[in-house]
Amino acid sequence: MARRKKIYEGKAKILYEGPEPGTLVQYFKDDATAFNAEKRATVEGKGVLNNRLSEFFMKGLAQVGIPNHFLKRLNMREQLIRQVEIIPLEVIVRNFAAGSMSTRLGLAEGTALPRPIVEFCLKDDKLGDPLVSEEHVTAFGWASQQDLDDMVSLALRVNDFMSGVMLAAGIKLVDFKIEIGRVWDNDFQRLIVADEISPDSCRLWDVETGQKLDKDVFRRDLGSLSDAYTEVARRLGVLPSNVTHAAKPTLIN
């Protein structure tokens, strides 16, 4: 498929105009960033893995009735997605204390939370994606109260699905973030999961050892990020079981 007009470029992905109205082509880059892009690197094969892993999760969500923007994978780095009106919020679901929650609340990393906790952050790199309350969201018009209720419901359904899939692979889903967008069917608005779901947007720990298999490996200089992502893909069946490194992965169709 011919490359089309670039619509947007972020830290890890590029969006191009799609082949049909209402579609986009999402390209996954090999760039790794942390601390609001203050730390940067190129990790060979990362974009390929995240493309395939996000496809795996989005297809799984669709199979259990959770709507999302994924239409089909086009090649090793690109997928066709539905164009949506992104709500300017990151929706974070936490099952265990880690990262900023541990810092804010003085909780030891790995502390099990009483129940899954949903948080919202304003999508604004210049401000460092600050944590915001539901009161902020409705007061500033980023989303309505009904939108918020629907977003929480969607996020918790994603959490149920993801937690089960990961646990079956021996992985603990510590937390994750998603983006949600609006789509319109005539005059009727629906909210659907958008952006991506990959180790870039989740905290994933080995159930037995606590080994980190997510972007914290890069944030904290804990080893090879490509090895960590490859291990996730291998356990989920996206990679053949004999593959040990993602530099030039051979992926299962």
Side-chain angles (χ1 to χ4, degrees):
M1 189 185 73
R3 181 63 54 79
R4 304 208 172 195
K5 176 183 175 184
K6 182 190 291 187
I7 303 298
Y8 168 82
E9 181 167 359
K11 293 188 287 286
K13 296 181 297 297
I14 305 173
L15 296 179
Y16 295 99
E17 182 180 59
E20 299 174 359
T23 66
L24 296 171
V25 173
Q26 182 166 251
Y27 175 91
F28 288 78
K29 302 193 292 185
D30 281 344
D31 295 356
T33 64
F35 311 118
N36 202 19
E38 291 180 9
K39 183 176 183 179
R40 296 172 176 269
T42 299
V43 180
E44 186 180 358
K46 171 179 171 289
V48 173
L49 284 167
N50 280 351
N51 182 29
R52 293 303 303 271
L53 284 164
S54 193
E55 174 195 15
F56 173 84
F57 293 125
M58 293 295 188
K59 281 184 172 180
L61 292 178
Q63 288 172 359
V64 296
I66 300 175
N68 62 78
H69 73 169
F70 180 83
L71 295 174
K72 66 178 180 179
R73 179 171 56 86
L74 298 173
N75 52 52
M76 295 288 275
R77 290 185 179 273
E78 295 179 325
Q79 51 186 237
L80 186 67
I81 59 173
R82 185 169 181 179
Q83 188 170 16
V84 304
E85 177 191 336
I86 291 288
I87 295 172
L89 299 169
E90 293 180 347
V91 186
I92 301 168
V93 182
R94 300 183 183 274
N95 299 305
F96 300 86
S100 63
M101 172 174 271
S102 291
T103 301
R104 280 186 279 119
L105 302 182
L107 297 172
E109 283 211 328
T111 300
L113 302 177
R115 58 177 174 79
I117 292 177
V118 180
E119 297 179 333
F120 297 97
C121 288
L122 179 65
K123 278 179 55 64
D124 190 320
D125 287 342
K126 292 180 181 178
L127 298 177
D129 300 327
L131 187 70
V132 294
S133 69
E134 292 192 11
E135 183 70 11
H136 290 122
V137 173
T138 55
F140 291 111
W142 298 322
S144 68
Q145 186 59 56
Q146 184 60 59
D147 286 339
L148 279 173
D149 293 344
D150 292 344
M151 291 167 75
V152 169
S153 177
L154 264 179
L156 292 176
R157 290 171 65 194
V158 172
N159 187 50
D160 285 344
F161 168 77
M162 292 283 293
S163 294
V165 168
M166 290 300 187
L167 189 59
I171 298 172
K172 180 187 295 185
L173 181 63
V174 176
D175 58 36
F176 66 92
K177 66 179 179 181
I178 55 174
E179 294 184 18
I180 292 174
R182 301 182 179 96
V183 294
W184 299 87
D185 294 321
N186 297 318
D187 293 330
F188 179 68
Q189 174 196 287
R190 290 191 300 132
L191 298 184
I192 66 174
V193 178
D195 191 45
E196 70 173 301
I197 299 177
S198 75
D200 270 6
S201 57
C202 305
R203 275 194 175 87
L204 307 171
W205 296 354
D206 180 86
V207 168
E208 297 295 331
T209 67
Q211 178 188 1
K212 292 175 173 57
L213 301 171
D214 54 69
K215 201 161 73 169
D216 275 348
V217 172
F218 174 68
R219 290 187 187 99
R220 304 182 184 186
D221 297 317
L222 298 177
S224 167
L225 189 67
S226 58
D227 284 353
Y229 285 21
T230 298
E231 178 64 13
V232 174
R234 185 191 64 77
R235 292 194 193 188
L236 294 172
V238 177
L239 280 178
S241 59
N242 61 344
V243 171
T244 59
H245 195 279
K248 294 183 179 179
T250 301
L251 295 166
I252 297 172
N253 289 318

